[in-house]
Amino acid sequence: MQDDSHKISSVDFSFQFSSARESQKVEKKIYNNLMEISNSCYKTAKGIGCIIVCGNFDVYRDHIIPGMRQIGINPIQKYVNIAIGSFEKDFISMVKDNQDGSIIINRDGQILGSKIYLTVDNPILDVPEGCGTRHITAASFSTRKDVMSVFTLSEETSLVRIWKDGQISEQYNPETEEI
C-alpha cells in the first residue's frame, strides 16, 4: 500500500502563463487590423505604408533597445495595448497617420513607440520584385532574436506581409482575397 500523506499537491497554471499563445493573439490582431486598413486603402486608392515590429523587448536593461532610434518625440505618451479592444482605434489611427518610421509593439501587445528608425546592420536584399526599403528593412529586422515578426503594409500595392526569420511567412492581397 502506498503512503500518500507525503505527496505535495500542485496545480498546473501553464495555460494562463503561455506567453507564446498570447504573442500569437497579438500577432493575429495586428494582421487583422492591417488587412482591414489594406482593404480600405485598396478601395479608395489611398496609399498608406507602414512597418510594425513585434518582439520581446522587455528584456532590455533600462528599456533601451539596440538598433532603434526615435525620430523626434515619441507620440506614444500613454499605455496603449493592441490586445485590449478599447485601444484598437488608437492603433488604427496611428497606422493611418502614415508617419515616418516604424511602430514598435512588445509581445504582450503594448505599443512602445511610433516614429522609430530601425538600424539594419546586414540588409537582406532577397525580397520580392517591387519591394522597397521598408520591405528590405522588415526582412532584415525579422532575423533578430528579440523580434517575433515584422509587418509591412505596402503603400503602392496595399499588400500586407508578415516577415519572420528574413522570409515572408504570410501575405494578404486585397485585390485577390477577402477577409
Side-chain angles (χ1 to χ4, degrees):
M1 182 169 221
Q2 190 176 12
D3 180 16
D4 289 339
S5 63
H6 297 303
K7 268 190 174 177
I8 298 174
S9 61
S10 61
V11 178
D12 180 5
F13 288 114
S14 61
F15 181 76
Q16 287 83 348
F17 292 107
S18 175
S19 63
R21 254 192 296 277
E22 289 305 310
S23 299
Q24 289 170 349
K25 288 179 189 176
V26 168
E27 288 177 317
K28 189 70 173 162
K29 189 96 167 186
I30 294 167
Y31 191 58
N32 288 341
N33 281 301
L34 287 178
M35 286 191 304
E36 287 182 27
I37 294 167
S38 169
N39 277 334
S40 172
C41 290
Y42 180 72
K43 290 175 185 171
T44 61
K46 180 182 179 196
I48 294 177
C50 75
I51 181 170
I52 300 168
V53 179
C54 185
N56 183 16
F57 303 123
D58 50 3
V59 297
Y60 288 103
R61 183 179 169 162
D62 298 325
H63 309 289
I64 298 172
I65 305 168
M68 297 183 189
R69 183 172 48 90
Q70 186 68 54
I71 302 170
I73 297 173
N74 185 356
I76 308 300
Q77 298 294 318
K78 64 179 184 174
Y79 181 82
V80 180
N81 191 312
I82 184 99
I84 300 171
S86 60
F87 291 117
E88 194 167 323
K89 287 181 183 176
D90 291 319
F91 173 73
I92 290 170
S93 174
M94 205 178 308
V95 172
K96 287 185 173 182
D97 280 349
N98 205 19
Q99 301 173 357
D100 283 340
S102 60
I103 298 169
I104 309 301
I105 301 178
N106 204 23
R107 66 182 170 171
D108 64 357
Q110 181 181 359
I111 300 175
L112 302 176
S114 170
K115 297 173 66 173
I116 307 294
Y117 177 82
L118 304 175
T119 304
V120 178
D121 295 326
N122 300 308
I124 293 174
L125 300 177
D126 187 22
V127 294
E129 184 71 30
C131 285
T133 306
R134 176 180 293 127
H135 306 280
I136 293 169
T137 301
S140 300
F141 222 73
S142 73
T143 62
R144 289 177 40 149
K145 290 185 185 338
D146 59 350
V147 172
M148 296 172 0
S149 53
V150 180
F151 300 81
T152 54
L153 172 58
S154 174
E155 192 169 358
E156 288 79 26
T157 64
S158 296
L159 287 173
V160 177
R161 292 183 173 115
I162 302 176
W163 302 85
K164 293 183 181 221
D165 300 318
Q167 303 290 318
I168 297 170
S169 69
E170 204 165 336
Q171 177 173 290
Y172 172 74
N173 184 344
E175 186 176 352
T176 59
E177 302 172 63
E178 288 188 31
I179 298 177

